[in-house]
């Protein structure tokens, strides 16, 4: 299927590892020009080099930036404009906040979670949408978590900060729909990444379980009896970024092997 992504310009946040890196690889394989963003310049440079091996001829650049800083969003969008003169696809993606229970966390931890997982999306969209409007084409895709639909024990900060993005995205989707810009969220379930390994270890310690068995137990809770692969998330994101997905907006789509038990 021709997705119409050749020569499109994409920004992928959190692109140095895990799902972000897989998404950057997938978009590059479809012919998009991709700006990889994350905090570690060293890891980004390695990710870019690896993707260039996997996707010969890939047109890539990278930018080391801390998206919890208020000035970072403008820096990201300006880098895309400087390299390629436009921006068509924005993939927001940041690591999750630390675990915790609702009554055990102080104000600072709640506020930091909103900076990390909510305000960075608001700022990136504020900067990116005007550039998308110049060409009447845009795709905003937010990587969130299944916990916005089905809470997970001991991950209150992730659930509440990312739930705010769902509401924001729905408002934004309606505002920009007539301008060729779509806004969607993807909700990864148990996708096998470094982050999942870390969370599983922390959860096992909190609940007094064996950390060595936790990943296996998590896979057993998925109806497909396996963990998802980052490339499976990347495939959905590439479709949502494409011309073929032009009539889909305001959605929150689980990628979870059937783990979400909600009827709707």
């Amino acid at each position: 299927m021709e997705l119409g992504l050749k020569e499109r310009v994409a920004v992928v946040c959190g692109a140095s590892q895990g799902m972000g890196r897989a998404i950057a690889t997938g978009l590059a394989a479809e012919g998009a020009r991709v700006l990889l963003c994350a905090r570690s310049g060293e890891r980004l440079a390695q990710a870019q080099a690896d993707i260039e091996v996997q996707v010969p001829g890939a047109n890539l650049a990278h930018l080391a930036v801390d998206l919890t800083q208020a000035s970072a969003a403008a820096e990201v969008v300006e880098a895309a404009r400087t390299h390629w003169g436009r921006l068509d696809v924005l993939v927001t993606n940041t690591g999750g906040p630390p675990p915790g229970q609702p009554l055990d966390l102080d104000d600072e931890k709640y506020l930091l979670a909103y900076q990390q997982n909510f305000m960075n999306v608001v700022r990136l969209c504020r900067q990116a949408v005007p550039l998308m409007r110049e060409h009447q084409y845009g795709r905003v895709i937010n990587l969130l978590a299944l916990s916005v639909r089905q809470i997970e024990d001991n991950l209150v900060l992730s659930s509440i900060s990312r739930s705010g993005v769902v509401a924001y995205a729905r408002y934004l989707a309606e505002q920009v729909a007539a301008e060729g810009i779509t806004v969607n969220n993807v909700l990864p379930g148990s996708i096998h990444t470094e982050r999942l390994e870390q969370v599983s270890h922390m959860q096992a310690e909190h609940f007094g379980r064996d950390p060595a068995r936790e990943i296996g137990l998590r896979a057993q809770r998925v109806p497909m009896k396996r963990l998802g692969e980052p490339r499976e998330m990347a495939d959905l994101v590439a479709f949502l970024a494409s011309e073929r997905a032009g009539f889909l907006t305001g959605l929150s789509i689980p990628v979870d092997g059937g783990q979400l038990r909600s009827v709707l």
Side-chain angles (χ1 to χ4, degrees):
M1 180 186 293
E2 174 56 53
L3 295 180
L5 284 169
K6 290 179 181 176
E7 303 301 315
R8 295 290 186 190
V9 174
V11 164
V12 180
C13 301
S16 64
Q17 61 182 342
M19 287 182 283
R21 178 167 164 172
I23 289 165
T25 304
L27 292 173
E30 293 294 333
R33 298 170 285 183
V34 185
L35 177 67
L36 288 70
C37 299
R39 283 178 294 183
S40 170
E42 183 177 350
R43 296 188 73 167
L44 277 172
Q46 185 60 59
Q48 178 173 335
D50 291 345
I51 294 170
E52 287 169 345
V53 171
Q54 291 176 259
V55 185
N59 193 339
L60 307 175
H62 67 268
L63 176 69
V65 64
D66 181 355
L67 289 169
T68 64
Q69 301 302 307
S71 61
E75 189 178 350
V76 168
V77 174
E78 184 56 33
R81 185 198 297 270
T82 298
H83 281 288
W84 298 294
R86 61 185 294 154
L87 176 58
D88 303 295
V89 179
L90 170 65
V91 181
T92 74
N93 172 38
T94 55
Q101 299 285 1
L103 301 180
D104 299 339
L105 300 161
D106 58 24
D107 287 6
E108 184 178 356
K109 289 187 174 64
Y110 277 102
L111 292 171
L112 182 58
Y114 272 93
Q115 284 291 331
Q116 181 177 350
N117 295 113
F118 177 75
M119 285 307 302
N120 77 88
V121 175
V122 173
R123 292 169 180 144
L124 283 164
C125 291
R126 188 186 295 142
Q127 295 293 328
V129 167
L131 191 52
M132 293 174 175
R133 280 173 165 157
E134 291 181 10
H135 299 277
Q136 293 290 288
Y137 184 98
R139 303 286 186 262
V140 177
I141 303 160
N142 305 307
L143 262 66
L144 302 179
L146 193 63
S147 60
V148 305
R149 295 277 305 277
Q150 178 171 284
I151 63 170
E152 182 169 347
D153 291 343
N154 205 40
L155 291 179
V156 63
L157 292 178
S158 176
S159 294
I160 64 169
S161 58
R162 286 171 163 149
S163 294
V165 177
V166 174
Y168 175 79
R170 189 63 190 84
Y171 276 101
L172 180 61
E174 185 166 322
Q175 183 180 3
V176 301
E179 300 174 87
I181 300 170
T182 67
V183 185
N184 291 294
N185 311 308
V186 291
L187 312 181
S190 294
I191 309 295
H192 201 176
T193 62
E194 291 178 17
R195 168 68 180 170
L196 185 69
E197 295 273 2
Q198 293 166 358
V199 168
S200 296
H201 188 86
M202 290 186 292
Q203 294 290 71
E205 289 187 337
H206 176 79
F207 291 109
R209 300 191 290 255
D210 180 0
R213 299 183 60 225
E214 189 70 15
I215 281 287
L217 291 173
R218 183 176 286 269
Q220 287 302 305
R221 292 196 291 269
V222 178
M224 289 187 176
K225 304 304 179 187
R226 69 173 178 87
L227 301 177
E229 295 296 329
R231 61 175 175 75
E232 294 174 302
M233 178 63 64
D235 289 341
L236 173 60
V237 172
F239 177 73
L240 291 174
S242 75
E243 295 176 355
R244 296 297 186 101
F247 204 56
L248 301 177
T249 196
L251 303 177
S252 294
I253 305 173
V255 182
D256 65 348
Q259 189 174 350
L260 179 65
R261 302 191 71 194
S262 171
V263 175
L264 298 175

